[in-house]
Amino acid sequence: MRGLLVKDLRLMMGQKKFLLLLLFMTVVLNFNDNITFVVYYLTFVCSFFVISSIAYDENDNGYPFLFCLPIDRSVYVREKYVFEVLLNIVSWLAGFFICFLFQAVRNNLNPFRENIMTMLLILPVVLIFDSVVLPFQFKFGNEKGRIVLLCCFIIAFATGYGLDQALNLSHGIANLIQYHPNLFGLALGTVTVLTTAVSYVVSVAVMKRKEF
């Protein structure tokens, strides 16, 4: 699995122009008052490197070549999920510290402190979104996967809007987040782990039935 991780990291680092553009956009977005969006933007966009790595593997009959190596399909799927989690954590930390440094230089840390809880919620939300998308990507491949990905985008934004409205209307949930953040964090963490675990099992089953 280590070799697959190295391969995906090298593929990602090969897109230096896009990474530099992403870093530039992250810095520019810090001039906006909505610092939460900066962390969300960087974490969310970086998560697509996992999907693009699957597309690279699929192109030019890459799957038959990969599975001639001493790896099986379960190991391949496991590596993608490990890559997803590592990439999301690193990109979230990068966005978090860039926002902190930017606000510290401007001597305006109050908005940063006020939005720490919201920024902490971004990581599990993106992990859940990736867990929903990955089985479809394994199932339908690069071409059909784009349509599925677009549908997932629509569902994700609709769900996010619905949750935002629900939080505004539900005083119970708002009070839970405000007065019992540890309990809420535990519940969200449990949902994230369960969603990722179910997604992994489904993805392994999909890959084992897939013909090349």
Side-chain angles (χ1 to χ4, degrees):
M1 190 173 70
R2 185 183 301 175
L4 292 173
L5 280 172
V6 171
K7 172 188 70 68
D8 286 342
L9 286 172
R10 287 184 177 273
L11 284 173
M12 186 180 70
M13 295 309 296
Q15 304 180 43
K16 293 180 180 179
K17 292 182 179 179
F18 180 77
L19 289 172
L20 290 174
L21 177 62
L22 184 60
L23 181 61
F24 173 76
M25 287 299 300
T26 303
V27 174
V28 170
L29 288 172
N30 269 287
F31 288 98
N32 194 334
D33 291 334
N34 188 0
I35 62 174
T36 304
F37 180 75
V38 179
V39 181
Y40 174 77
Y41 171 80
L42 185 60
T43 308
F44 192 74
V45 173
C46 283
S47 68
F48 281 92
F49 280 110
V50 181
I51 297 172
S52 66
S53 71
I54 297 174
Y56 276 119
D57 293 341
E58 185 185 11
N59 289 337
D60 299 324
N61 294 318
Y63 279 145
F65 171 75
L66 279 174
F67 295 126
C68 288
L69 301 174
I71 59 171
D72 58 24
R73 302 187 185 200
S74 298
V75 173
Y76 175 78
V77 173
R78 191 182 311 134
E79 183 272 336
K80 293 302 179 186
Y81 278 82
V82 171
F83 184 49
E84 170 220 354
V85 173
L86 290 176
L87 191 59
N88 284 337
I89 291 175
V90 170
S91 58
W92 183 88
L93 287 173
F96 185 85
F97 283 110
I98 287 173
C99 284
F100 173 78
L101 291 174
F102 199 88
Q103 296 299 319
V105 169
R106 298 174 65 183
N107 196 22
N108 186 26
L109 285 175
N110 286 332
F112 181 84
R113 297 190 188 98
E114 293 171 356
N115 288 280
I116 285 180
M117 181 59 67
T118 305
M119 287 187 284
L120 288 173
L121 295 176
I122 292 171
L123 183 57
V125 168
V126 175
L127 286 171
I128 291 173
F129 176 79
D130 288 344
S131 296
V132 173
V133 170
L134 284 177
F136 288 105
Q137 188 69 24
F138 285 121
K139 174 68 176 178
F140 296 105
N142 191 27
E143 295 300 326
K144 294 181 180 179
R146 293 174 184 175
I147 300 175
V148 175
L149 186 60
L150 177 61
C151 294
C152 289
F153 262 126
I154 297 173
I155 294 172
F157 281 110
T159 303
Y161 178 78
L163 288 174
D164 182 64
Q165 295 300 312
L167 289 174
N168 290 333
L169 296 174
S170 175
H171 296 290
I173 297 177
N175 289 334
L176 178 63
I177 296 174
Q178 182 176 0
Y179 298 108
H180 303 282
N182 294 334
L183 181 60
F184 179 79
L186 179 62
L188 184 59
T190 302
V191 171
T192 304
V193 171
L194 289 176
T195 304
T196 304
V198 172
S199 174
Y200 169 75
V201 172
V202 172
S203 295
V204 170
V206 167
M207 284 300 293
K208 286 184 175 180
R209 289 197 299 264
K210 197 165 186 176
E211 297 181 359
F212 306 117

